[in-house]
Amino acid sequence: MAGDRHEPTSGWAPTWALGRAVLLTGLLLVAAVLLGRIDLVVLATPFALGTAYGLRRRPTGLPELEIGTPDAHLVEGSPMAATIAVVNPDPVSYDMAVVRTRMSRWLRVEKAGFGGTGVDVSRSGGADRPFVTSVPSGSAVDLELTGTALRWGRHPIGPAGARVAVADGLLVSRAVITDPVRTRVYPRTEPFEAVEAMPRAAGLVGAHHSRRPGEGGELAGVRVFAPGDRLRRIDWRVSLRARQLHVAATLSDRDAEVVVLLDVLAEAGRSGGVRGAASVLDTTVRAAAAIAEHYLHRGDRVALLEYGPAARRLRPATGRRQYLTVLEWLLDVRAESSPHEPYDQVFGPQLLSSDALVVVLTPLLDERSAQMLARMARGGRFVVAVDTLPADLPAPKGRGWAEVAYRLWRLDRDTMIGQLREHGVPVVRWAGAGSLDQVLRDVARLATAPRVGGR
């Protein structure tokens, strides 16, 4: 929970009801004196007594607000819940408390109410509407908000504000506002499976078959027994025929390093949340989470890089802790254009491993992205480009040459993709499970092929 506590000494103001009661009492008493009518005094008595009775106990402190989130780690499409507690630390009861809060547009509130009596607010303004309740002395009342988290990111709940009325509505507090609380909504990982083929497996242990001999499950052949070989590796059939001990040689199982590079130079499309259309950034973040989850569960090392002005990076690591770190890292991904070339800023101080598989998630909307892919391919990197541009991106509707310009841009982009493929950069569209199977097979086949000219 988080909240602000305010306890000023002069946080209460008279209402119009108190002003009218005092004014009416005064006018009646003045008229009674001037006109010499006792009946006007009798008429003013209830107003005076009622006002005095209402003000007999005045509050000393202001109310407190606390915003609570039972589950601060959500996933796209999962139910969300939040509470806004109105705390009354004073011995005087609050006759009426009016609470209002702001919510992120990606946290859709469907039911809201005090004390578990939630009402449907999805068609009546959502959470951005006043809610009214009474608060007994020395207690707290919770405004419960329930709904659905629609999109990944760090979404604010609040700020929330409240004003209370006491003394039968004669006094009202100034607005008490609490700071917003940000809740984490992690991207929903799309189903993704890939073949075991990797360009080069460079670690010591892992699940991928390498070309290096060692302890593994892939048979590499039979060779003569040497000191240090294990007895269980002896191939007795070959040994009896050759009258010399032979052992079965195997290839070692090693892990691989996967670098997921996110192109954040441009954004396109309009995000509709988890149940609507996906923008470039939505596809990029969800695909990165799915790829990282797949390879981390296989025991590989995964690193993340941003191709943009911020040039954020996440060092390579493995295990569940790295997966949670990846999800946290992805929450801060933002699309940001830059007039400068970010290549040296991203790859200059950090040399990528020559054996790493670089998966670039890019919409190919900026010519610098294509140049970056071509540079890495010419440098001998194992690069796979994943096209994140929405397939159903609508054409601009306007007069003049808008439609023609859109068609020309499409043709120019297709030409750019063809040139990348000529440079040896495979470009595939992200489609969930099996998106990279054929591409990874081709990259692994090229990595294991003999090099011409000793290169």
Side-chain angles (χ1 to χ4, degrees):
M1 287 199 175
D4 287 341
R5 183 172 180 174
H6 307 273
E7 294 184 355
T9 57
S10 58
W12 297 88
T15 63
W16 287 105
L18 178 58
R20 287 192 298 267
V22 172
L23 178 61
L24 184 58
T25 303
L27 291 176
L28 290 174
L29 292 177
V30 170
V33 172
L34 295 177
L35 300 177
R37 296 180 56 179
I38 192 65
D39 57 333
L40 296 179
V41 176
V42 175
L43 187 62
T45 300
F47 294 100
L49 292 179
T51 303
Y53 182 79
L55 296 176
R56 73 191 187 281
R57 298 179 64 189
R58 300 184 60 180
T60 58
L62 288 177
E64 302 173 9
L65 278 182
E66 295 179 352
I67 300 178
T69 53
D71 189 359
H73 303 79
L74 304 174
V75 181
E76 288 180 308
S78 65
M80 59 79 58
T83 59
I84 301 176
V86 184
V87 183
N88 180 6
D90 207 275
V92 180
S93 299
Y94 296 157
D95 299 326
M96 182 179 65
V98 181
V99 184
R100 196 165 187 173
T101 182
R102 291 182 179 179
M103 297 285 290
S104 169
R105 61 186 289 255
W106 300 115
L107 299 177
R108 185 176 63 189
V109 178
E110 300 167 353
K111 289 186 178 181
F114 288 98
T117 58
V119 295
D120 187 4
V121 297
S122 58
R123 297 184 180 181
S124 58
D128 190 15
R129 51 170 289 185
F131 297 91
V132 181
T133 186
S134 59
V135 185
S137 60
S139 63
V141 178
D142 292 339
L143 172 61
E144 299 178 358
L145 307 172
T146 57
T148 307
L150 298 180
R151 189 174 185 257
W152 57 272
R154 304 181 191 272
H155 303 304
I157 300 177
R163 298 189 72 177
V164 300
V166 297
D168 296 332
L170 300 178
L171 295 176
V172 64
S173 71
R174 68 174 179 83
V176 177
I177 301 177
T178 185
D179 293 333
V181 174
R182 293 190 176 273
T183 183
R184 302 181 183 91
V185 180
Y186 294 130
R188 186 177 66 176
T189 56
E190 300 180 9
F192 173 68
E193 293 291 339
V195 295
E196 295 185 9
M198 294 293 290
R200 288 177 188 168
L204 297 178
V205 293
H208 301 287
H209 302 311
S210 72
R211 293 179 296 170
R212 300 180 180 180
E215 295 295 331
E218 184 74 12
L219 184 63
V222 180
R223 58 176 176 80
V224 179
F225 180 87
D229 289 337
R230 297 186 179 184
L231 296 179
R232 63 185 181 89
R233 294 288 186 182
I234 296 178
D235 191 329
W236 293 105
R237 293 184 178 180
V238 177
S239 300
L240 290 175
R241 289 198 303 266
R243 298 183 179 276
Q244 188 179 6
L245 289 179
H246 284 69
V247 294
T250 57
L251 298 177
S252 61
D253 295 333
R254 296 172 180 265
D255 66 348
E257 180 176 334
V258 180
V259 178
V260 183
L261 180 62
L262 285 69
D263 180 4
V264 294
L265 289 177
E267 167 71 315
R270 179 174 296 180
S271 176
V274 68
R275 298 172 184 172
S279 66
V280 167
L281 211 58
D282 289 339
T283 304
T284 299
V285 170
R286 292 166 186 164
I291 294 172
E293 180 185 20
H294 171 76
Y295 285 111
L296 286 172
H297 285 178
R298 297 185 63 85
D300 296 323
R301 301 184 307 279
V302 175
L304 272 73
L305 289 175
E306 270 189 4
Y307 188 70
R312 294 193 309 135
R313 66 184 71 243
L314 179 65
R315 63 176 182 81
T318 186
R320 177 172 176 78
R321 177 178 295 181
Q322 178 71 356
Y323 176 60
L324 298 177
T325 307
V326 165
L327 293 179
E328 195 76 19
W329 190 89
L330 289 173
L331 295 183
D332 297 319
V333 174
R334 297 290 182 272
E336 185 177 1
S337 61
S338 173
H340 306 290
E341 171 59 59
Y343 187 88
D344 295 334
Q345 187 177 359
V346 175
F347 299 103
Q350 177 84 9
L351 294 178
L352 296 178
S353 173
S354 59
D355 297 325
L357 171 65
V358 183
V359 181
V360 182
L361 303 171
T362 174
L364 291 174
L365 295 175
D366 197 309
E367 187 177 351
R368 291 171 295 178
S369 302
Q371 294 174 357
M372 174 264 297
L373 290 169
R375 286 186 195 178
M376 286 197 295
R378 288 196 300 265
R381 307 292 182 187
F382 301 105
V383 184
V384 176
V386 179
D387 186 3
T388 57
L389 188 70
D392 54 350
L393 189 66
K397 297 180 180 180
R399 299 177 180 178
W401 299 92
E403 187 176 352
V404 177
Y406 177 76
R407 292 180 181 177
L408 291 176
W409 171 77
R410 277 287 188 182
L411 292 175
D412 183 67
R413 186 174 181 273
D414 293 340
T415 302
M416 181 192 303
I417 293 176
Q419 291 175 348
L420 285 175
R421 288 171 177 164
E422 291 178 359
H423 279 78
V425 180
V427 181
V428 294
R429 181 174 297 279
W430 175 256
S435 298
L436 309 181
D437 278 359
Q438 185 60 43
V439 173
L440 291 180
R441 289 192 186 97
D442 295 341
V443 173
R445 189 183 307 113
L446 291 175
T448 55
R451 301 196 177 187
V452 181
R455 297 174 56 186

